[in-house]
PDB file of all heavy atoms in Angstrom:
ATOM      1  N   GLU A1567      17.146   6.387 -11.508  1.00 97.00           N
ATOM      2  CA  GLU A1567      17.269   5.669 -12.786  1.00 97.00           C
ATOM      3  C   GLU A1567      15.978   4.937 -13.105  1.00 97.00           C
ATOM      4  O   GLU A1567      15.328   4.371 -12.221  1.00 97.00           O
ATOM      5  CB  GLU A1567      18.426   4.680 -12.700  1.00 97.00           C
ATOM      6  CG  GLU A1567      18.720   3.937 -13.993  1.00 97.00           C
ATOM      7  CD  GLU A1567      20.005   3.141 -13.924  1.00 97.00           C
ATOM      8  OE1 GLU A1567      20.598   3.045 -12.828  1.00 97.00           O
ATOM      9  OE2 GLU A1567      20.437   2.613 -14.977  1.00 97.00           O
ATOM     10  N   TRP A1568      15.624   4.931 -14.397  1.00 95.00           N
ATOM     11  CA  TRP A1568      14.393   4.285 -14.828  1.00 95.00           C
ATOM     12  C   TRP A1568      14.431   2.796 -14.479  1.00 95.00           C
ATOM     13  O   TRP A1568      13.676   2.326 -13.664  1.00 95.00           O
ATOM     14  CB  TRP A1568      14.191   4.494 -16.321  1.00 95.00           C
ATOM     15  CG  TRP A1568      12.851   4.051 -16.825  1.00 95.00           C
ATOM     16  CD1 TRP A1568      11.833   3.494 -16.104  1.00 95.00           C
ATOM     17  CD2 TRP A1568      12.368   4.147 -18.166  1.00 95.00           C
ATOM     18  NE1 TRP A1568      10.748   3.227 -16.903  1.00 95.00           N
ATOM     19  CE2 TRP A1568      11.055   3.624 -18.176  1.00 95.00           C
ATOM     20  CE3 TRP A1568      12.909   4.620 -19.353  1.00 95.00           C
ATOM     21  CZ2 TRP A1568      10.290   3.560 -19.342  1.00 95.00           C
ATOM     22  CZ3 TRP A1568      12.150   4.567 -20.509  1.00 95.00           C
ATOM     23  CH2 TRP A1568      10.857   4.045 -20.508  1.00 95.00           C
ATOM     24  N   ASN A1569      15.283   2.036 -15.125  1.00 90.00           N
ATOM     25  CA  ASN A1569      15.538   0.649 -14.765  1.00 90.00           C
ATOM     26  C   ASN A1569      17.044   0.476 -14.636  1.00 90.00           C
ATOM     27  O   ASN A1569      17.812   1.232 -15.234  1.00 90.00           O
ATOM     28  CB  ASN A1569      15.003  -0.319 -15.830  1.00 90.00           C
ATOM     29  CG  ASN A1569      13.525  -0.625 -15.645  1.00 90.00           C
ATOM     30  OD1 ASN A1569      12.794   0.152 -15.047  1.00 90.00           O
ATOM     31  ND2 ASN A1569      13.084  -1.754 -16.161  1.00 90.00           N
ATOM     32  N   GLU A1570      17.473  -0.495 -13.894  1.00 91.00           N
ATOM     33  CA  GLU A1570      18.900  -0.642 -13.606  1.00 91.00           C
ATOM     34  C   GLU A1570      19.641  -1.135 -14.843  1.00 91.00           C
ATOM     35  O   GLU A1570      19.760  -2.337 -15.086  1.00 91.00           O
ATOM     36  CB  GLU A1570      19.106  -1.619 -12.445  1.00 91.00           C
ATOM     37  CG  GLU A1570      20.534  -1.634 -11.940  1.00 91.00           C
ATOM     38  CD  GLU A1570      20.703  -2.486 -10.699  1.00 91.00           C
ATOM     39  OE1 GLU A1570      19.680  -2.923 -10.137  1.00 91.00           O
ATOM     40  OE2 GLU A1570      21.859  -2.716 -10.301  1.00 91.00           O
ATOM     41  N   SER A1571      20.156  -0.174 -15.627  1.00 95.00           N
ATOM     42  CA  SER A1571      20.837  -0.513 -16.878  1.00 95.00           C
ATOM     43  C   SER A1571      22.100   0.294 -17.101  1.00 95.00           C
ATOM     44  O   SER A1571      22.887  -0.035 -17.989  1.00 95.00           O
ATOM     45  CB  SER A1571      19.896  -0.271 -18.071  1.00 95.00           C
ATOM     46  OG  SER A1571      18.672  -0.948 -17.917  1.00 95.00           O
ATOM     47  N   ILE A1572      22.311   1.373 -16.332  1.00 97.00           N
ATOM     48  CA  ILE A1572      23.408   2.300 -16.590  1.00 97.00           C
ATOM     49  C   ILE A1572      24.274   2.538 -15.356  1.00 97.00           C
ATOM     50  O   ILE A1572      25.499   2.422 -15.406  1.00 97.00           O
ATOM     51  CB  ILE A1572      22.877   3.672 -17.081  1.00 97.00           C
ATOM     52  CG1 ILE A1572      21.995   3.511 -18.314  1.00 97.00           C
ATOM     53  CG2 ILE A1572      24.028   4.627 -17.379  1.00 97.00           C
ATOM     54  CD1 ILE A1572      21.273   4.788 -18.734  1.00 97.00           C
ATOM     55  N   GLY A1573      23.650   2.890 -14.233  1.00 96.00           N
ATOM     56  CA  GLY A1573      24.382   3.386 -13.075  1.00 96.00           C
ATOM     57  C   GLY A1573      25.296   2.381 -12.417  1.00 96.00           C
ATOM     58  O   GLY A1573      26.479   2.656 -12.204  1.00 96.00           O
ATOM     59  N   ARG A1574      24.762   1.202 -12.068  1.00 94.00           N
ATOM     60  CA  ARG A1574      25.575   0.179 -11.409  1.00 94.00           C
ATOM     61  C   ARG A1574      26.128  -0.834 -12.396  1.00 94.00           C
ATOM     62  O   ARG A1574      27.264  -1.300 -12.260  1.00 94.00           O
ATOM     63  CB  ARG A1574      24.744  -0.547 -10.344  1.00 94.00           C
ATOM     64  CG  ARG A1574      24.362   0.339  -9.173  1.00 94.00           C
ATOM     65  CD  ARG A1574      23.771  -0.501  -8.036  1.00 94.00           C
ATOM     66  NE  ARG A1574      23.307   0.350  -6.961  1.00 94.00           N
ATOM     67  CZ  ARG A1574      24.090   0.869  -6.025  1.00 94.00           C
ATOM     68  NH1 ARG A1574      25.395   0.618  -6.035  1.00 94.00           N
ATOM     69  NH2 ARG A1574      23.578   1.627  -5.068  1.00 94.00           N
ATOM     70  N   VAL A1575      25.310  -1.221 -13.353  1.00 94.00           N
ATOM     71  CA  VAL A1575      25.727  -2.156 -14.394  1.00 94.00           C
ATOM     72  C   VAL A1575      25.341  -1.573 -15.738  1.00 94.00           C
ATOM     73  O   VAL A1575      24.354  -0.842 -15.848  1.00 94.00           O
ATOM     74  CB  VAL A1575      25.060  -3.536 -14.211  1.00 94.00           C
ATOM     75  CG1 VAL A1575      25.519  -4.186 -12.918  1.00 94.00           C
ATOM     76  CG2 VAL A1575      23.544  -3.416 -14.238  1.00 94.00           C
ATOM     77  N   LYS A1576      26.122  -1.862 -16.744  1.00 97.00           N
ATOM     78  CA  LYS A1576      25.826  -1.391 -18.100  1.00 97.00           C
ATOM     79  C   LYS A1576      25.431  -2.612 -18.918  1.00 97.00           C
ATOM     80  O   LYS A1576      26.279  -3.366 -19.385  1.00 97.00           O
ATOM     81  CB  LYS A1576      27.023  -0.642 -18.679  1.00 97.00           C
ATOM     82  CG  LYS A1576      27.372   0.595 -17.842  1.00 97.00           C
ATOM     83  CD  LYS A1576      28.383   1.492 -18.512  1.00 97.00           C
ATOM     84  CE  LYS A1576      28.753   2.667 -17.613  1.00 97.00           C
ATOM     85  NZ  LYS A1576      27.601   3.551 -17.315  1.00 97.00           N
ATOM     86  N   SER A1577      24.137  -2.791 -19.053  1.00 96.00           N
ATOM     87  CA  SER A1577      23.602  -4.011 -19.640  1.00 96.00           C
ATOM     88  C   SER A1577      22.234  -3.736 -20.243  1.00 96.00           C
ATOM     89  O   SER A1577      21.497  -2.864 -19.767  1.00 96.00           O
ATOM     90  CB  SER A1577      23.481  -5.096 -18.561  1.00 96.00           C
ATOM     91  OG  SER A1577      22.746  -6.212 -19.031  1.00 96.00           O
ATOM     92  N   THR A1578      21.899  -4.486 -21.267  1.00 95.00           N
ATOM     93  CA  THR A1578      20.567  -4.381 -21.869  1.00 95.00           C
ATOM     94  C   THR A1578      19.549  -5.293 -21.198  1.00 95.00           C
ATOM     95  O   THR A1578      18.371  -5.258 -21.544  1.00 95.00           O
ATOM     96  CB  THR A1578      20.625  -4.726 -23.367  1.00 95.00           C
ATOM     97  OG1 THR A1578      21.023  -6.106 -23.515  1.00 95.00           O
ATOM     98  CG2 THR A1578      21.615  -3.837 -24.102  1.00 95.00           C
ATOM     99  N   SER A1579      19.989  -6.082 -20.228  1.00 93.00           N
ATOM    100  CA  SER A1579      19.121  -7.112 -19.650  1.00 93.00           C
ATOM    101  C   SER A1579      17.834  -6.550 -19.061  1.00 93.00           C
ATOM    102  O   SER A1579      16.775  -7.184 -19.152  1.00 93.00           O
ATOM    103  CB  SER A1579      19.877  -7.888 -18.566  1.00 93.00           C
ATOM    104  OG  SER A1579      20.993  -8.555 -19.115  1.00 93.00           O
ATOM    105  N   HIS A1580      17.907  -5.363 -18.429  1.00 92.00           N
ATOM    106  CA  HIS A1580      16.727  -4.791 -17.785  1.00 92.00           C
ATOM    107  C   HIS A1580      16.294  -3.474 -18.433  1.00 92.00           C
ATOM    108  O   HIS A1580      15.498  -2.742 -17.849  1.00 92.00           O
ATOM    109  CB  HIS A1580      17.006  -4.565 -16.297  1.00 92.00           C
ATOM    110  CG  HIS A1580      17.266  -5.823 -15.547  1.00 92.00           C
ATOM    111  ND1 HIS A1580      18.540  -6.247 -15.224  1.00 92.00           N
ATOM    112  CD2 HIS A1580      16.418  -6.770 -15.083  1.00 92.00           C
ATOM    113  CE1 HIS A1580      18.463  -7.384 -14.575  1.00 92.00           C
ATOM    114  NE2 HIS A1580      17.196  -7.736 -14.480  1.00 92.00           N
ATOM    115  N   MET A1581      16.798  -3.203 -19.621  1.00 95.00           N
ATOM    116  CA  MET A1581      16.404  -1.963 -20.290  1.00 95.00           C
ATOM    117  C   MET A1581      14.929  -1.991 -20.671  1.00 95.00           C
ATOM    118  O   MET A1581      14.434  -2.987 -21.197  1.00 95.00           O
ATOM    119  CB  MET A1581      17.222  -1.743 -21.568  1.00 95.00           C
ATOM    120  CG  MET A1581      18.531  -1.037 -21.364  1.00 95.00           C
ATOM    121  SD  MET A1581      19.258  -0.588 -22.957  1.00 95.00           S
ATOM    122  CE  MET A1581      20.769   0.204 -22.378  1.00 95.00           C
ATOM    123  N   PRO A1582      14.212  -0.902 -20.422  1.00 94.00           N
ATOM    124  CA  PRO A1582      12.828  -0.812 -20.894  1.00 94.00           C
ATOM    125  C   PRO A1582      12.745  -0.891 -22.420  1.00 94.00           C
ATOM    126  O   PRO A1582      13.678  -0.493 -23.119  1.00 94.00           O
ATOM    127  CB  PRO A1582      12.379   0.565 -20.382  1.00 94.00           C
ATOM    128  CG  PRO A1582      13.263   0.845 -19.218  1.00 94.00           C
ATOM    129  CD  PRO A1582      14.589   0.250 -19.584  1.00 94.00           C
ATOM    130  N   TRP A1583      11.610  -1.379 -22.893  1.00 92.00           N
ATOM    131  CA  TRP A1583      11.333  -1.432 -24.325  1.00 92.00           C
ATOM    132  C   TRP A1583      10.447  -0.265 -24.696  1.00 92.00           C
ATOM    133  O   TRP A1583       9.386  -0.063 -24.102  1.00 92.00           O
ATOM    134  CB  TRP A1583      10.600  -2.726 -24.686  1.00 92.00           C
ATOM    135  CG  TRP A1583      11.450  -3.944 -24.726  1.00 92.00           C
ATOM    136  CD1 TRP A1583      12.597  -4.179 -24.013  1.00 92.00           C
ATOM    137  CD2 TRP A1583      11.216  -5.112 -25.506  1.00 92.00           C
ATOM    138  NE1 TRP A1583      13.081  -5.418 -24.294  1.00 92.00           N
ATOM    139  CE2 TRP A1583      12.264  -6.019 -25.216  1.00 92.00           C
ATOM    140  CE3 TRP A1583      10.230  -5.474 -26.406  1.00 92.00           C
ATOM    141  CZ2 TRP A1583      12.338  -7.273 -25.802  1.00 92.00           C
ATOM    142  CZ3 TRP A1583      10.308  -6.721 -26.996  1.00 92.00           C
ATOM    143  CH2 TRP A1583      11.348  -7.610 -26.705  1.00 92.00           C
TER     144      TRP A1583
END
Side-chain angles (χ1 to χ4, degrees):
E1567 184 171 8
W1568 189 0
N1569 276 24
E1570 190 174 351
S1571 306
I1572 304 172
R1574 293 191 185 279
V1575 296
K1576 299 190 183 297
S1577 169
T1578 64
S1579 298
H1580 296 100
M1581 273 190 180
W1583 284 28

